[in-house]
């Protein structure tokens, strides 16, 4: 067999090809980039991969990624623990933090309810959320799951579940993206934008 | 600073973002995939990265990637050393090997002549090619550099350089890609296809 690459190169291409969003051509391109790269750079990437597995765990309170027992948000004494923003994934936390608009805390579900993928409430961190709400210190629950089918279903499920607790439950506004073009908005988004229209004073 | 990801996650995203074809969103997606992946899989990827740098060198004869002193093609006694196919990169060797059409050997230049990028003949493995041709045992030189500006310039340069040696020098055919659509071919390619038309018997 003289086809394909030499052993070590082919192994690397195979491993890279398993990553999300990296196709066979992309994997080959990265492998040759690695071959030509400074050994120290490659070592740094390899160490970063191993370290992330060794050092990163999940926050005992909110389920966000953390390098200590609790994540950066939960460790911050200035954050308002009376407001919990429920998101699907840790990357949603990063996206919301970037807005600098939110000073409460988070709860990371670890996904959304999706019967087609076999994901039910028991597969998400719903029980953990309920125990955070148990002592009555939380006043508002913001349901910031994705504005798609699964995210909406999850938000509806959670809203019903916490209704008896009598706390304020909100959902992020749907509407036109800022900087977007009205004519390119899909009809559902445009419909929501009409529904949620604000009066200008 | 509560913006961005926790240290180890952000370091991994930064390192991944330096790879060719991986943007910031892709890097984040891969990092979260790694966080959720089996530690053994991640270890295997990290090892493959390090190993490729440790084990892979360049063939002493042709400049192709190799794990021993000579590459797989040059080690194979059935390959015809009287025919040398000149390519730009090791990945071109793999592409040609896949066709199973070629039984000669290769010479990997390590790029193409490109004044705009400051790459001249001295930056390529041209001297090494000339010394392979010195003993007169090579009968044909196939110039398989890319069919673009730099590749054509390199082929023209090499053809002139070896002309005094009186060996057969060929260039891969240009023309319509098999399975392609004539109407989508660019005019240069279509022109070449006319020029190189074959008579059907």
């Amino acid at each position: 067999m003289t086809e394909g690459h030499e052993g070590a190169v082919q192994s690397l291409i195979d491993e890279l090809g398993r990553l999300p969003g990296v196709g066979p051509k992309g994997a080959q391109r990265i492998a040759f980039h690695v071959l030509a790269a400074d050994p120290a750079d490659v070592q740094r990437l390899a160490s970063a991969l191993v370290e992330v597995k060794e050092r990163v765990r999940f926050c005992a309170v909110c389920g966000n990624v953390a390098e200590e027992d609790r994540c950066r948000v939960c460790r911050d004494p200035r954050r308002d623990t009376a407001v919990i923003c429920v998101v699907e994934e840790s990357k949603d936390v990063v996206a919301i933090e970037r807005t600098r608009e939110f000073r409460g805390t988070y709860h990371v579900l670890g996904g959304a309810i999706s019967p087609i993928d076999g994901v039910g409430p028991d597969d998400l961190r719903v029980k953990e959320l309920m125990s955070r709400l148990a002592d009555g210190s939380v006043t508002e629950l913001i349901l910031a799951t994705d504005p798609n089918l699964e995210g909406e279903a999850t938000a509806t499920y959670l809203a019903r579940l916490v209704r008896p607790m009598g706390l304020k439950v909100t959902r992020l506004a749907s509407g036109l993206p800022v900087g977007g073009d009205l004519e390119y908005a899909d009809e559902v988004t445009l419909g929501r934008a009409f529904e949620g229209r604000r009066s200008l004073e």
Side-chain angles (χ1 to χ4, degrees), chain A residues 179-200:
Chain A
D181 236 344
L182 193 140
E183 68 176 300
Y184 296 129
D186 65 285
E187 55 205 47
V188 181
T189 302
L190 201 49
R192 290 282 179 87
F194 265 93
E195 240 177 74
R197 67 191 180 276
R198 296 168 305 139
S199 71
L200 296 170

Side-chain angles (χ1 to χ4, degrees), chain A residues 43-190:
Chain A
Q43 187 56 60
R44 237 186 10 256
L45 171 58
S47 310
L49 281 163
V50 174
E51 237 171 61
V52 100
K53 293 304 281 186
E54 278 169 0
R55 283 178 40 194
V56 177
R57 344 173 221 176
F58 296 94
C59 174
V61 178
C62 73
N64 188 11
V65 291
E67 288 186 22
E68 301 181 28
D69 187 47
R70 290 185 303 152
C71 76
R72 273 206 297 218
V73 175
C74 288
R75 282 201 313 267
D76 188 341
R78 292 162 305 175
R79 307 295 295 232
D80 182 2
T81 54
V83 181
I84 295 181
C85 177
V86 179
V87 294
E88 293 181 18
E89 308 284 357
S90 284
K91 28 193 170 195
D92 301 327
V93 171
V94 177
I96 296 173
E97 285 298 290
R98 244 183 244 130
T99 68
R100 299 172 177 270
E101 291 281 337
F102 181 63
R103 302 307 302 165
T105 55
Y106 294 94
H107 192 82
V108 181
L109 291 172
I113 296 173
S114 171
I116 218 164
D117 298 318
V119 180
D122 292 344
D123 303 307
L124 305 175
R125 300 182 68 260
V126 172
K127 229 176 28 245
E128 289 85 344
L129 176 63
M130 296 312 284
S131 59
R132 282 179 79 183
L133 301 177
D135 70 353
S137 67
V138 174
T139 55
E140 181 176 357
L141 197 64
I142 304 172
L143 300 172
T145 52
D146 286 341
N148 56 22
L149 203 66
E150 291 79 15
E152 295 287 357
T154 309
T156 309
Y157 172 83
L158 290 176
R160 269 187 211 148
L161 198 65
V162 302
R163 189 169 301 154
M165 297 174 147
L167 73 168
K168 186 173 165 194
V169 179
T170 56
R171 180 105 178 93
L172 292 190
S174 282
L176 299 176
V178 178
D181 236 344
L182 193 140
E183 68 176 300
Y184 296 129
D186 65 285
E187 55 205 47
V188 181
T189 302
L190 201 49

Side-chain angles (χ1 to χ4, degrees), chain A residues 13-24:
Chain A
I13 293 177
D14 291 345
E15 294 299 332
L16 289 168
R18 289 200 184 96
L19 298 175
V22 180

